[in-house]
Amino acid sequence: MKNFVIKKRCSDYEPLDLLKLRKSLQKSGASRSLCDEVVSEISPKIKDRSTSNELFKLARKTLAKKSQVLAANYHIVRGIYELGPTGYPFEKLCAEMLKKKGFHTRVGVILKGEHVKHEVDVIAERSDARLLCECKFHNKNTGKSNVKVPLYIHSRFLDILGHHGKSAYNSYAIFSNTTFSKDAITYAEGVGIKLFSMNYPRKNTFVDHIIRYKIYPITCLKTLKRRDIQFLLDKGVVVIKQLKEKIDLLQEREIKPNEIIAIQREINLLLKA
Amino acid sequence: MKNFVIKKRCSDYEPLDLLKLRKSLQKSGASRSLCDEVVSEISPKIKDRSTSNELFKLARKTLAKKSQVLAANYHIVRGIYELGPTGYPFEKLCAEMLKKKGFHTRVGVILKGEHVKHEVDVIAERSDARLLCECKFHNKNTGKSNVKVPLYIHSRFLDILGHHGKSAYNSYAIFSNTTFSKDAITYAEGVGIKLFSMNYPRKNTFVDHIIRYKIYPITCLKTLKRRDIQFLLDKGVVVIKQLKEKIDLLQEREIKPNEIIAIQREINLLLKA
C-alpha cells in the first residue's frame, strides 16, 4: 500500500496518506481508538488510483457501522456542497442556524442604502441584536473567500446604516461553506464583521455549530436517495428538522413505507444525539 | 438578406441588423455618409450564419480602405480584449493614459492599510492630485462590473487612508474594459469614486480618451501580425507610442524590413491623426 496514489477532485494524484484520513475522521468527533479501528478496517479495501470521493465513501460507510451520528458529522462539509449548485439552500441553512440561536429570520431582503439598494441574504433579529448576513456558497472547495468579500460587505453595511441610521443594525456576519483567506480574517476582525466558515472561528467553526445545534442538511442522511434530495430542496426543505415536520412529502414522492421509516429513524437518531 | 442570422460570441444566433452595424461604425468617428457607404459596400458580401467576428473583420477592412485612423478607432474595444488573457497589459494601458494627463505613475504597488495590505494596480501622482487606481480587465464582453467592485474599492480606500492619513490620496479611480452596472455607477458617484469604462462617463468614455490621447493599444495595428503581438506584450510594449520608441524589437524578431516600414507608417499615421 506504500506507493498507492489517490486521485483528487482537481484530477491530480497524491500519495495515499492514512494519517490524513485519520485526522479527517477525528473531526467528526470520533475517538482516537475508533478512528484507528476504522482506518485499519478500510485500509485493505483501498485500491491504487482510487478517487478521493471513493475513499471518502468507504470511510463514511465503515464509520456508519460504528455510529450513524459520527458518519453524519463526517459528511457535513460534503453535504453542504451537495446542497448546490445554487446558493439558496445554503442561505436557508444559515437562517436555520440563526433560528436555533433565538433569532427571528428573513431570507433575501432588499434594503435601501444611502446610495443604492442592497440584497441582504438573511436578516436576523433578536431582542438584543439585529444582524445582517451574507452567505457565500461555493460549489468547489477551491473557492476560498478572499479579502474582497469583507471589503464589499463593510461598504454595504456603511451604506445601509447611512440610510437606516447608525443604530439600525449591530453588525454584519458572513457565512461561508469554504474558508476565508488570512487577509479576509484580519480585515473582518479589524472592522467588526463576524465570520463563520470551515476554518473560522478556529475552535467554533461552521461544522461545530451544525453539530451543536443539530442543523444537519438533508444531504447528510445516509438513508435518503440522491434523486429525492433535489425534490425536497425545491420544496424548501433543507435541514433534517424540516424534513421531520414535512415527512408526508416523501409519501407524495411515492417512496416505500419501509424506506420512509428508515429515514425517520435516522433523523430521530441525529436529532437526539 | 432579410432573414440572415449572425452567430454571436456566446454561440446564440441573432438576426442580421444593418442599422446596428452602422451605429457601431459611427462610434469610430466616421461620418453618417461614410458609414452608409461602408454598409452598402459590405452588405452583398455578408453570408448567412456568419459569425459576428467575421462581420466585424469585413467592416473593419472596408473602413480601413477609406481611413486607417477610423479603422483603428473601430477596433479599440476589441483591441483591448486582445491584450488578454492576463490583466497586466491593461494596467499598463491605463497608466499610459494617466501619463498623458500629466501624472507620474507606478504600476502594481503594495500599500499598507489600517488592517491589511492592498495591491493597488496604478498609483498616479501630479502636483494637484494623488490618485489610486483599480483596473478591471475582463476577457469577455459579458463581464459587466457590478456594484461589488466600487463597494470593495471604497473600503480599500478607507483602509489605506486609515493608515496613510486622510489627505494622503484624493480619490480612487476604477478603469474597466467593459461596462459598469447602473448601481455601480450610482454608488461610485455617491461616494466619489471615479469611473472610466466603455459606457461611462457617457460623453467621455474610455474609448474617447484613447482616441483623444492617441493611446492606441498595439493590437489596433492592422499591419502587426497576431503572433508578434504576444512577443511585444511580453516585452512590456502595450501602446503604439512605446512600439515607435522600441521599433528595433521588430528587427530582433526578424520581421522583414518592408513590413517594419508599413508598421512604422501606420503608427505615425495614428499618432498624427
Side-chain angles (χ1 to χ4, degrees):
Chain A
M1 182 159 298
K2 251 184 194 167
N3 298 320
F4 275 17
V5 287
I6 295 296
K7 191 177 182 184
K8 298 193 311 187
R9 270 184 180 224
C10 53
S11 300
D12 279 351
Y13 284 92
E14 65 176 6
L16 170 62
D17 184 348
L18 291 179
L19 209 69
K20 192 176 159 189
L21 178 65
R22 210 191 66 166
K23 270 188 185 169
S24 80
L25 282 162
Q26 263 184 308
K27 281 186 192 162
S28 70
S31 68
R32 275 170 173 250
S33 63
L34 182 59
C35 293
D36 286 337
E37 214 177 296
V38 172
V39 170
S40 62
E41 194 168 318
I42 66 170
S43 67
K45 295 177 191 167
I46 301 173
K47 289 173 188 155
D48 191 23
R49 297 177 178 266
S50 293
T51 65
S52 55
N53 196 36
E54 285 161 355
L55 188 60
F56 168 81
K57 279 186 180 168
L58 192 59
R60 188 196 177 209
K61 202 175 157 189
T62 313
L63 189 60
K65 281 190 275 176
K66 321 280 176 186
S67 157
Q68 284 209 22
V69 176
L70 295 179
N73 292 351
Y74 186 54
H75 195 105
I76 289 173
V77 177
R78 285 192 183 226
I80 296 174
Y81 284 121
E82 288 164 12
L83 290 177
T86 76
Y88 189 66
F90 182 64
E91 290 175 16
K92 294 198 81 172
L93 176 70
C94 298
E96 289 299 321
M97 186 184 288
L98 288 157
K99 276 186 197 168
K100 283 281 182 175
K101 290 182 171 226
F103 286 94
H104 172 77
T105 63
R106 283 178 289 158
V107 176
V109 182
I110 306 288
L111 277 191
K112 268 193 182 175
E114 190 181 346
H115 303 295
V116 288
K117 286 178 188 166
H118 302 272
E119 190 181 340
V120 178
D121 291 338
V122 185
I123 299 184
E125 291 165 294
R126 204 168 60 184
S127 59
D128 61 331
R130 300 184 81 196
L131 268 184
L132 301 173
C133 309
E134 175 85 359
C135 305
K136 298 302 291 180
F137 178 77
H138 297 275
N139 275 307
K140 286 185 181 169
N141 60 3
T142 50
K144 191 180 259 198
S145 292
N146 69 19
V147 71
K148 284 178 188 174
V149 178
L151 281 171
Y152 81 70
I153 287 300
H154 186 48
S155 284
R156 176 171 287 171
F157 192 45
L158 296 178
D159 198 49
I160 290 170
L161 294 189
H163 178 83
H164 292 267
K166 279 191 177 175
S167 56
Y169 296 98
N170 303 91
S171 68
Y172 226 114
I174 309 175
F175 293 83
S176 165
N177 69 323
T178 62
T179 58
F180 286 105
S181 73
K182 208 175 156 189
D183 264 13
I185 292 170
T186 309
Y187 179 78
E189 283 176 342
V191 297
I193 291 173
K194 293 174 197 301
L195 302 180
F196 296 92
S197 76
M198 297 305 163
N199 67 335
Y200 189 91
R202 278 182 79 181
K203 303 231 161 179
N204 199 10
T205 66
F206 200 93
V207 171
D208 297 329
H209 275 77
I210 287 179
I211 295 170
R212 186 185 324 144
Y213 294 112
K214 306 184 202 306
I215 315 295
Y216 292 96
I218 55 169
T219 41
C220 285
L221 291 171
K222 202 176 142 283
T223 48
L224 191 64
K225 294 212 169 67
R226 184 85 205 116
R227 61 169 183 266
D228 299 320
I229 287 171
Q230 194 56 52
F231 166 80
L232 291 169
L233 292 179
D234 290 343
K235 298 275 179 192
V237 175
V238 174
V239 299
I240 58 168
K241 190 175 151 269
Q242 290 175 306
L243 181 55
K244 186 184 163 90
E245 287 159 8
K246 292 187 178 180
I247 203 79
D248 47 345
L249 279 171
L250 297 179
Q251 283 150 355
E252 203 180 290
R253 182 87 177 148
E254 293 184 4
I255 295 176
K256 287 176 196 151
N258 61 334
E259 284 181 33
I260 294 178
I261 289 168
I263 293 166
Q264 276 179 308
R265 199 177 290 145
E266 192 183 4
I267 292 173
N268 289 334
L269 193 75
L270 292 177
L271 290 178
K272 277 173 200 152
Chain B
M1 181 158 298
K2 253 183 196 170
N3 298 320
F4 275 18
V5 288
I6 296 296
K7 192 178 181 184
K8 298 192 317 185
R9 271 184 180 223
C10 53
S11 300
D12 279 351
Y13 285 92
E14 64 177 6
L16 170 62
D17 184 348
L18 293 179
L19 209 69
K20 193 177 159 189
L21 177 65
R22 211 191 67 168
K23 270 189 185 170
S24 80
L25 282 162
Q26 263 184 308
K27 281 186 191 161
S28 70
S31 67
R32 274 169 173 249
S33 62
L34 182 59
C35 292
D36 286 339
E37 214 177 296
V38 173
V39 170
S40 62
E41 195 168 317
I42 66 170
S43 68
K45 296 177 190 166
I46 300 171
K47 288 170 190 157
D48 191 21
R49 294 174 181 267
S50 292
T51 65
S52 56
N53 196 35
E54 285 160 356
L55 188 60
F56 169 80
K57 279 185 180 168
L58 191 60
R60 188 194 176 209
K61 202 176 158 189
T62 313
L63 190 60
K65 280 191 275 176
K66 321 279 177 185
S67 158
Q68 284 208 21
V69 176
L70 294 180
N73 291 353
Y74 187 54
H75 196 103
I76 289 172
V77 177
R78 284 191 183 228
I80 297 174
Y81 284 120
E82 289 165 11
L83 291 176
T86 75
Y88 189 65
F90 183 62
E91 290 175 16
K92 295 198 81 173
L93 176 70
C94 297
E96 289 298 320
M97 187 184 287
L98 289 157
K99 275 186 196 166
K100 283 279 182 175
K101 289 182 173 229
F103 285 95
H104 173 76
T105 62
R106 284 179 290 157
V107 176
V109 182
I110 306 288
L111 278 191
K112 267 193 183 174
E114 189 181 346
H115 303 294
V116 290
K117 287 178 187 168
H118 303 272
E119 190 180 342
V120 178
D121 291 338
V122 184
I123 298 184
E125 291 165 294
R126 204 168 62 181
S127 59
D128 61 332
R130 299 184 81 197
L131 267 185
L132 301 173
C133 309
E134 174 85 358
C135 304
K136 298 303 290 180
F137 178 77
H138 297 274
N139 275 307
K140 286 185 181 170
N141 61 2
T142 49
K144 191 180 258 197
S145 292
N146 67 19
V147 71
K148 285 178 187 172
V149 178
L151 282 170
Y152 83 68
I153 288 299
H154 186 49
S155 284
R156 176 171 287 171
F157 192 45
L158 297 178
D159 199 49
I160 290 171
L161 294 189
H163 178 83
H164 292 268
K166 278 191 177 175
S167 56
Y169 297 97
N170 303 91
S171 68
Y172 226 113
I174 310 175
F175 292 84
S176 166
N177 70 324
T178 61
T179 57
F180 285 105
S181 72
K182 208 175 155 190
D183 265 12
I185 292 170
T186 308
Y187 179 79
E189 284 176 342
V191 298
I193 291 173
K194 293 174 198 299
L195 302 180
F196 297 92
S197 76
M198 297 306 163
N199 67 334
Y200 189 90
R202 277 182 79 181
K203 303 230 163 181
N204 199 11
T205 65
F206 200 94
V207 171
D208 296 330
H209 275 77
I210 287 180
I211 295 171
R212 185 185 323 144
Y213 294 112
K214 305 182 203 306
I215 316 295
Y216 291 95
I218 55 169
T219 39
C220 285
L221 291 172
K222 202 176 141 284
T223 48
L224 191 65
K225 293 210 170 66
R226 186 82 206 119
R227 62 169 183 265
D228 299 320
I229 286 170
Q230 194 54 53
F231 166 81
L232 291 169
L233 292 178
D234 290 343
K235 298 275 179 190
V237 176
V238 174
V239 299
I240 58 168
K241 189 172 152 274
Q242 290 174 307
L243 182 54
K244 186 184 163 88
E245 285 158 8
K246 292 186 177 180
I247 202 79
D248 47 344
L249 279 171
L250 297 179
Q251 283 150 357
E252 202 179 289
R253 182 88 176 146
E254 295 185 3
I255 295 176
K256 287 178 196 151
N258 61 334
E259 283 183 31
I260 295 179
I261 290 169
I263 294 167
Q264 276 179 308
R265 200 177 290 145
E266 193 183 3
I267 292 173
N268 289 334
L269 193 76
L270 292 177
L271 291 178
K272 276 172 200 152

